[in-house]
Amino acid sequence: MAGSTRLAIALSALAYILAGLPFWWKLTEVYRVPLPYREVEGFVTKQSSSSAARVHCQLQIVFFSKEETPDRDAKWSDRLEVVLRATREWSSSGFCEIEVAVTLDAKGLCLHKRGGDRAKPLWECGRVLDSLHSQDSTSIDESLKNYIGEDRAGKYTILVLLDGELSQGGGAEAVVGKYRHAWVVFPPSLLGNDEQLTRIISETAGVLLAGGKPATAVAKTMPLAADGSAILSFSLLNADPENWIFNWDFDSVESQYLSPVVDALAPVARLSVESQVLYYTPAAARSQWNADIRSHVIESKDLSFFVNANEWHLDTSAAAAGRSKVLHFAIYVPPVEECPLRIKLSSGRITSSASIDGFTSPGWGGVVIWNPPGCLVADNSTLRQRLNVNDLKTTMEVVVAQLRTLFGLPPVPPRRKAPKLSILCNQRTGFAEWELDLLLRRRVIADVNSTASTLASLLKLVESLPKMVIQQEIGVQVTTSLEAAEKAMDAGNASYQVIGNFSATAKAWAEEAFFHPSIMSLLHFPKEHQFAMYTPFFVPVLLHTVISVVKETMRYARKSSRK
Amino acid sequence: MDLPFALAFVLLLTSCYAIDEDFSEELLLRPLPDGNVLAHFHFASTLPPVDHYGVHHRLFPKAIFQLVRKFRIKEMELSFTQGRWNYQRWGVGDPIAQLAAKPVGVELTASLDVPEAEVDSTWGNLTHALSGLFCASINFLESPTTFLEPWFSKSSRTRYGALPREAVCTENLTPWLKLLPCRDKAGLTTLLDRPTIYSGMYHSQRLIITSGDFDRDEEGTTLEQTLTVVLRKPAVSEGLSSKLQDWTLSGLFGSKLEGKCPLATTSSVYLELEESLAKHLAGDLSKETRINFVDNRVFSLSSAPSRVLASLSGSLLLEYEAGTHSELDLGVTWRAPVDWSPARGRFYTSRYLAGSGNARGSIVISFRANDGPSGDCYSPGIEAVEYVDIMILQMIPWYVRLYGHTLQVSLDGRNVEFWSVVRLMRFTPAEDRKAPAAVEIALRVSIATQAVTLTIQYDKGFLHIDEHPPDANRGFDLPSAVITFPRCRVFKQFQSDDVGHSHILAVVQSQRPMQIYSEVSLMQLATPDFSMPYNVITLTCTVLALYFGSLLNALRRRIGEEERESKGT
């Protein structure tokens, strides 16, 4: 029938267009490498559910006595069990997956208790310990280091010395050394008091494993760039060089004070040091003269305005390429009219009469106010001085304390009264070995967290922009990062160095993928543009086709009904 | 090693380089014959070699030091210029003009101590670092179409690039000042009042780095920062001559000079009187033993100089110590109408584009002998008596397609055989979108020649629609030609040998070949209609849609049947 031919023509024209549509759609697509959506999602949930990546730690608590202990075996067995349980309860809030082993090493008695199945290394009983009497804490620390022997990241020892003569004043006393061990002097006469014993041991373990702070109280991020590096930029600021001009012997300062710190922190962060001397750098905050202490005093609430972004040109240029992190340490020499300059704390107390004050700003760095000695009595004639290593000793100590604060440690190791607990500091580097382990664990967790969030937001971004080109390279980077992060999380017993490398790799690649230049230069191809391109052709063509189909269908229907 | 020898060795070592960092600030003022005033600020920081001094400094800017170490810069010169140096009125053949005259926009020359294969990539990174440091789009020089390796340069690791279109303003000056230890807080820099210096007739700010650290020649690193401004003559007052106006520092810059930068070892102000101006004084003073500079027939000065340096050629430099005067307000009051001419080279140079239309044209570089008194330059060798050597470096963007065979030289208006005049030539053809064309020519003409003209013809290429810069109708800037007179040494020798720490005097005394820049030319290319692609799309689509519609109708509709049907119903 003639009518059906025409309908067929109209329909085939429409069918042709409809069949061509998917092909045309395919042509408008851009290249997008398939990204591992499911794996990343799985990783993010896994990472957030276990609250923190688990790094392996071993803690052995050894009760050590040269003499025979008064209590019987059974009683000791109970006591070890109590200590084991107390420590394990506490350790759930720590940074690592902990394994505890408790040992009694007394004359003629050797008892072991283990928590967990994997706790392999056991204390070897019966080794001779030299007399610790008449030694100060630092030398005890050294002797015990030799005595304990094996020293590696993640293995910690608490030695409970059951020795009445060692304790001063007859009470229990704990000391955390600068390596990976602590010792508790516990007079045997107090052994009946199990509560006191468990309390002092778990406090000590808390310091040794987590710095004495719960994991939640610590800042989540480290002041480091994506590749785990940071630049320590030291600036000596001569606020007003009209009267006095100071410069410094920074080469010696670096070799004497900073290189040991940088070397010690090498497993945690790659730090580099640079310096400059700047002039005409007044502070932006005003101080007031306080006649009582004959000083200019600046309120702590004004400190946020102290750093003068207009005049302090602290920025580094060529070395700090890309997304590197710079920690500024500004040593500020006040002008003559404002010397000595001190800080009034928010509590109303004015800092000590020392010539040095300082404050830190998280993630930015620290400021040290260095008042030239005797500046009140000195005449105002021009003074030019080169500060040597000794002049800057205290300043550098403050700087190291500020560095500790920036990394999330207390500026100086705190002391506690009850139970009596003291922490030795490492005079040379400022960081004890166990603190470095702690920082490394924190960094691993921070790295894994940031990898998870970076990857998640990258994939979210990719999903939300369907017209963005995703290059092969990004796919590779995401996969590499994900693999490394998984390895860091499941590393288990691997050495800290390996875990640290994995987590750093994961973070670096995740950032690399996120900041890939091809993502930055998003292909500008908005929807309006597409409409503008295609409507001049498609609207008239489709209009014709659809109208013809409608008309022919109507005609065909009319004809067939007429028949 | 016995002791005296060791001592001598140590002495020798220490004599080769400075043992401490040093910073000096200097300002040279020169009244120009047309009544304007030239002010040339010169700041220099020197640094002993790293091997001896270490990497921590008290004066040398950290940013520049890091730049030098990272990119292994042996020599670098970066200039930002606004306005055109008027060679005829402000001078050609004198050392300050030599330093001050730069092509408009940004010019960068760098010599890098890296393996030859890495030079281009290091240059690219350097341009990025510099553009970050100076808030300028120097990074456009990364593109291989904008820089070249000059053939006449000393080493093959030198690159030269220019951006004639770059606008220069305070955002480039502020980072430049940041490199000075006193910034603009004390010393000579307090004179740098932004509105004054940017409303001047010419403004050129430079950064020159030389480092001997990579050659182990014990020279250390030097950073020279210079700023040259030609300030408009003060508003007309009741003067002696309509041309010369009295001026003072405070009148020019809006403030007096108070004190010096406490970190500078030298802080001086110089007033330069050119030979032909100084002659007027000499004529006046032939009877007297000493010239009274403060008050003489020609002018009077507001304060007496601490020292007067006379060059062998007769120009005078009056030196003022900035630190000793608590307040220095140097000023010149003219007493008699004087007329003098600036130092002139042997040739005036100009470059222009000939031809019309959007298809073809020719580039002409012409040299015209200076008819007035020629400020002669020192020319070593006997040949220089008879000949003048001229070296031309001209970079041409790839979209200007040069025809090498049309290159012609004419002397005094007559075409001459090409190779009779041209001693050496390197013609590097352009590669589309990859490399610019470079024409480097060394000419030798007789000293009697009055005019030399070089001509080369070109076709204008077509650019892609997205290769046009914003404001495409403005045209494209051709970079200046760099013209060197290698046998003509520009320098001044002073009668007294004592130049002290002065870097300006050291620069003035050093022998350099005379170098001048041609004008920047603006070339019009055929500018496309930027809405064309969309017009084409719309037109094509409409035609196709019409065709499709009529075809479909032709297949489907039967006119007669429809009429029948409409009648039937």
Side-chain angles (χ1 to χ4, degrees), chain A residues 151-431:
Chain A
D151 182 52
R152 63 175 168 84
K155 178 173 177 278
Y156 306 96
T157 313
I158 297 176
L159 211 55
V160 184
L161 301 167
L162 301 168
D163 191 335
E165 292 169 42
L166 266 176
S167 83
Q168 290 152 353
E173 183 188 348
V175 182
V176 179
K178 56 184 193 218
Y179 301 100
R180 295 188 175 92
H181 59 256
W183 67 95
V184 180
V185 178
F186 203 80
S189 52
L190 293 174
L191 265 181
N193 190 345
D194 272 359
E195 196 199 326
Q196 194 187 350
L197 182 68
T198 50
R199 184 153 167 237
I200 195 166
I201 288 175
S202 59
E203 286 273 345
T204 314
V207 169
L208 200 55
L209 289 164
K213 274 190 203 171
T216 47
V218 180
K220 285 268 165 16
T221 52
M222 291 247 158
L224 297 175
D227 58 350
S229 67
I231 298 167
L232 307 182
S233 167
F234 290 85
S235 309
L236 180 65
L237 305 175
N238 284 284
D240 183 8
E242 298 287 341
N243 294 105
W244 51 39
I245 300 173
F246 290 94
N247 67 70
W248 53 7
D249 182 12
F250 197 82
D251 275 312
S252 316
V253 171
E254 188 188 358
S255 60
Q256 195 153 340
Y257 297 117
L258 295 172
S259 299
V261 180
V262 169
D263 291 345
L265 279 169
V268 182
R270 279 203 322 279
L271 302 178
S272 52
V273 174
E274 53 185 50
S275 84
Q276 60 183 342
V277 184
L278 296 176
Y279 308 91
Y280 293 102
T281 52
R286 296 268 121 231
S287 65
Q288 277 171 348
W289 173 251
N290 184 327
D292 296 343
I293 52 165
R294 296 182 53 71
S295 297
H296 297 267
V297 174
I298 193 157
E299 302 269 339
S300 65
K301 67 176 163 53
D302 292 336
L303 285 182
S304 43
F305 307 107
F306 193 85
V307 173
N308 188 344
N310 288 334
E311 307 284 358
W312 296 19
H313 298 289
L314 304 173
D315 48 359
T316 62
S317 67
R323 306 183 295 276
S324 55
K325 176 78 193 171
V326 182
L327 290 177
H328 294 286
F329 291 96
I331 288 89
Y332 176 80
V333 184
V336 170
E337 309 86 62
E338 241 184 353
C339 185
L341 184 65
R342 302 227 187 108
I343 298 171
K344 186 177 184 184
L345 301 178
S346 48
S347 61
R349 197 166 65 85
I350 291 170
T351 47
S352 63
S353 60
S355 59
I356 289 168
D357 262 343
F359 61 93
T360 52
S361 166
W364 183 84
V367 175
V368 183
I369 299 171
W370 187 84
N371 293 309
C375 62
L376 272 180
V377 291
D379 59 345
N380 282 359
S381 64
T382 314
L383 173 67
R384 279 156 197 266
Q385 197 188 337
R386 189 173 171 84
L387 304 177
N388 60 27
V389 179
N390 295 329
D391 298 327
L392 290 166
K393 185 171 183 292
T394 333
T395 312
M396 284 301 139
E397 283 167 7
V398 175
V399 163
V400 171
Q402 288 182 338
L403 190 63
R404 285 174 58 96
T405 318
L406 292 171
F407 275 94
L409 295 173
V412 282
R415 280 171 184 280
R416 294 185 198 186
K417 284 275 162 60
K420 201 172 166 195
L421 177 78
S422 54
I423 301 171
L424 295 182
C425 31
N426 193 333
Q427 295 292 344
R428 209 171 68 84
T429 65
F431 289 87

Side-chain angles (χ1 to χ4, degrees), chain A residues 27-98:
Chain A
L27 282 180
T28 64
E29 258 184 15
V30 291
Y31 179 73
R32 284 160 78 86
V33 79
L35 293 176
Y37 287 95
R38 201 179 305 148
E39 286 85 347
V40 170
E41 215 166 274
F43 170 69
V44 171
T45 43
K46 183 173 152 195
Q47 177 268 337
S48 56
S49 65
S50 59
S51 78
R54 291 284 169 179
V55 185
H56 200 72
C57 299
Q58 293 170 333
L59 174 67
Q60 55 184 13
I61 303 169
V62 180
F63 291 86
F64 185 83
S65 175
K66 279 183 182 168
E67 279 86 47
E68 288 183 17
T69 55
D71 297 324
R72 282 175 298 107
D73 293 15
K75 186 144 191 194
W76 265 112
S77 186
D78 291 346
R79 189 173 287 146
L80 296 191
E81 197 63 49
V82 168
V83 168
L84 187 61
R85 215 177 309 127
T87 330
R88 233 186 318 177
E89 265 167 31
W90 173 85
S91 69
S92 60
S93 67
F95 270 100
C96 48
E97 201 165 72
I98 224 166

Side-chain angles (χ1 to χ4, degrees), chain A residues 52 67 73 103 122-123 129 187 192 205 224 236 261 282 329 400 423 482 485 489 495 516 527:
Chain A
E67 279 86 47
D73 293 15
T103 306
L122 286 174
W123 186 254
L129 175 63
L224 297 175
L236 180 65
V261 180
F329 291 96
V400 171
I423 301 171
L482 195 62
M489 275 179 80
S495 81
H516 196 277
K527 280 205 180 93

Side-chain angles (χ1 to χ4, degrees), chain B residues 190-203:
Chain B
T190 48
L191 294 176
L192 292 175
D193 173 46
R194 305 296 195 282
T196 311
I197 59 174
Y198 283 103
S199 62
M201 304 183 80
Y202 179 79
H203 167 95

